[in-house]
Amino acid sequence: MTDVPPTDDPIPELRRAPSLVLVNTGDGKGKSTAAMGVMIRAVARGWKVAVIQFLKSGDWATGEQKTAERLGVDWWAIGDGFTWDSDDLDESAAIAQEAWNKATDVISSGEYSLVILDEVTYPLIWGWVDLDEALAVIEARPDHVNLVLTGRDAPIQLVEVADTVTEMRNVKHAFEQGVRAKKGIDF
Ligand code: ATP
Ligand code: MG
């Protein structure tokens, strides 16, 4: 350490990326809430933002959806109708594919500077959405379209195409002490 503040850019060869792909994965809490944090930053910069939710935890809108809509963020919860315990897997797969088609349109249109695909890893893992097709859409996106993808067990190929990947590690969670999900904290 010196007493003098640095005057030169310490890493002058750093480049500016036209856009980034972020993946928030792991079994700890914070994947979706961190994505919403990026949403807030993007709105502050005047970006158009879209959120597509691939799983929905009920009929009610989450707190983040309510806030997003107030901020002018476009939100699709196309998970409507397919759930963890859907007994009709063919139907669930078809709905997931429909959600992916929407995501493809939203990404490829170039209309949005930030697209958040919340809980997208699950349909990819379960084979409801073709991983190679998804990777192709991500890689062929217009230059300025930033992406945030969330969900546990991100496939390795997705990790490879991403720029920044964070694994939330569960240290402890209130749920394990028998505490139910809390409004304002969990949804
Ligand atoms: P959040 O939306 O709170 O950021 P997340 O996106 O990381 O959580 P998900 O796997 O999408 O986690 O689960 C969503 C819900 O499950 C939230 O209510 C969250 O608090 C809860 N949850 C997240 N991680 C755990 C965990 N390790 N054990 C139990 N419940 C969890
Ligand atoms: Mg989540």
Side-chain angles (χ1 to χ4, degrees), residues 6-184:
T7 49
D8 297 328
D9 186 343
I11 313 175
E13 68 273 18
L14 281 182
R15 61 192 167 82
R16 234 175 252 281
S19 65
L20 295 170
V21 177
L22 277 62
V23 171
N24 298 343
T25 191
D27 61 3
K29 176 175 166 59
K31 300 174 288 294
S32 297
T33 41
M36 296 306 130
V38 177
M39 174 189 82
I40 286 173
R41 288 182 171 165
V43 169
R45 304 307 171 190
W47 292 7
K48 259 197 99 173
V49 180
V51 178
I52 297 173
Q53 260 189 321
F54 282 78
L55 289 183
K56 231 192 146 199
S57 35
D59 287 335
W60 32 264
T62 55
E64 56 266 34
Q65 182 175 353
K66 290 175 193 283
T67 300
E69 285 170 353
R70 261 185 245 160
L71 293 174
V73 168
D74 290 326
W75 191 292
W76 291 273
I78 317 188
D80 283 337
F82 85 84
T83 57
W84 293 96
D85 53 15
S86 170
D87 36 16
D88 188 343
L89 286 181
D90 288 345
E91 194 194 333
S92 297
I95 295 168
Q97 185 57 53
E98 214 176 281
W100 179 261
N101 293 346
K102 181 71 194 178
T104 301
D105 290 348
V106 164
I107 293 168
S108 309
S109 71
E111 214 190 307
Y112 295 90
S113 301
L114 175 66
V115 181
I116 296 174
L117 305 179
D118 192 34
E119 322 296 352
V120 73
T121 57
Y122 305 102
L124 293 173
I125 295 164
W126 298 331
W128 290 351
V129 170
D130 184 69
L131 180 60
D132 290 331
E133 187 191 320
L135 296 171
V137 170
I138 292 168
E139 293 194 289
R141 73 191 187 284
D143 269 359
H144 65 283
V145 179
N146 297 274
L147 300 178
V148 182
L149 297 89
T150 85
R152 294 179 185 208
D153 302 318
I156 183 67
Q157 300 93 323
L158 183 60
V159 167
E160 278 163 4
V161 303
D163 298 290
T164 298
V165 179
T166 303
E167 186 170 316
M168 273 64 177
R169 182 172 66 87
N170 184 41
V171 176
K172 63 195 277 194
H173 193 288
F175 180 78
E176 295 149 9
Q177 284 91 58
V179 179
R180 61 171 66 226
K182 191 165 174 56
K183 203 178 197 172

